[in-house]
Amino acid sequence: MQLLILRHGEAEPMTAADESRQLTERGRAQVSRICELRAEELEQVRAIWASPFVRTQQTAEIVAESLGLPVITEPLLIGGIPPQRVIDALGQAKSFPLLLVSHQPLVGRLVNGLCGSDDAHFLGTASLACLQAEVWAAGCAELEWLQHAE
């Protein structure tokens, strides 16, 4: 099974509530670029889960529009949630390949936790990671590739 993990595009500076920050024009362009770079892999996605924050919803909508899929809002994907809670939810998921759209530090911690890696996988804005596993549990996945938007 394949899992794709996407960090949201560049967002506005923190001037209001964090959950209300929107993508900048550059952020939208970053997401569009990653969609172009990995179009073949993204076309295989069967479900999209996204954090409820505005910038992740906007990022997910850009991807969803090209795929004709709905975005499923998943409260577990906010940045401060322990990765194990997300890993547990993945074990119950039915549609793969699955795309998760979230934030740092969660996206990096998910890649590390699923791959059982001590290496810090930093995902910059609009970075996309692809993992492969037979079961979704800590240490059971392999990082196939990590694509940065720029």
Side-chain angles (χ1 to χ4, degrees), residues 6-143:
L6 175 62
R7 183 177 175 201
H8 62 79
E10 179 187 84
E12 300 171 325
M14 184 91 85
T15 55
D18 187 39
E19 61 272 4
S20 300
R21 293 171 52 213
Q22 297 192 35
L23 291 180
T24 63
E25 286 303 315
R26 179 173 182 262
R28 290 180 183 282
Q30 288 176 317
V31 176
S32 294
R33 177 72 177 138
I34 205 71
C35 288
E36 290 171 16
L37 291 170
R38 291 297 181 167
E40 188 174 318
E41 293 89 345
L42 287 168
E43 287 173 2
Q44 304 306 311
V45 168
R46 296 293 163 253
I48 301 171
W49 294 2
S51 151
F53 287 18
V54 171
R55 61 190 177 276
T56 51
Q57 290 287 311
Q58 290 173 328
T59 298
E61 286 296 335
I62 292 169
V63 180
E65 187 175 304
S66 67
L67 300 177
L69 291 173
V71 174
I72 299 165
T73 300
E74 178 50 70
L76 286 175
L77 295 178
I78 60 173
I81 293 290
Q84 188 58 52
R85 290 187 56 202
V86 178
I87 294 170
D88 292 344
L90 289 172
Q92 305 302 314
K94 303 292 185 223
S95 298
F96 287 93
L98 173 63
L99 172 65
L100 304 182
V101 185
S102 189
H103 314 263
Q104 278 289 57
L106 180 59
V107 291
R109 290 179 178 159
L110 275 172
V111 172
N112 291 344
L114 286 165
C115 294
S117 174
D118 291 331
D119 296 334
H121 290 98
F122 178 77
L123 278 70
T125 53
S127 290
L128 180 64
C130 179
L131 287 76
Q132 184 74 33
E134 294 300 318
V135 296
W136 296 109
C140 290
E142 180 178 323
L143 178 63

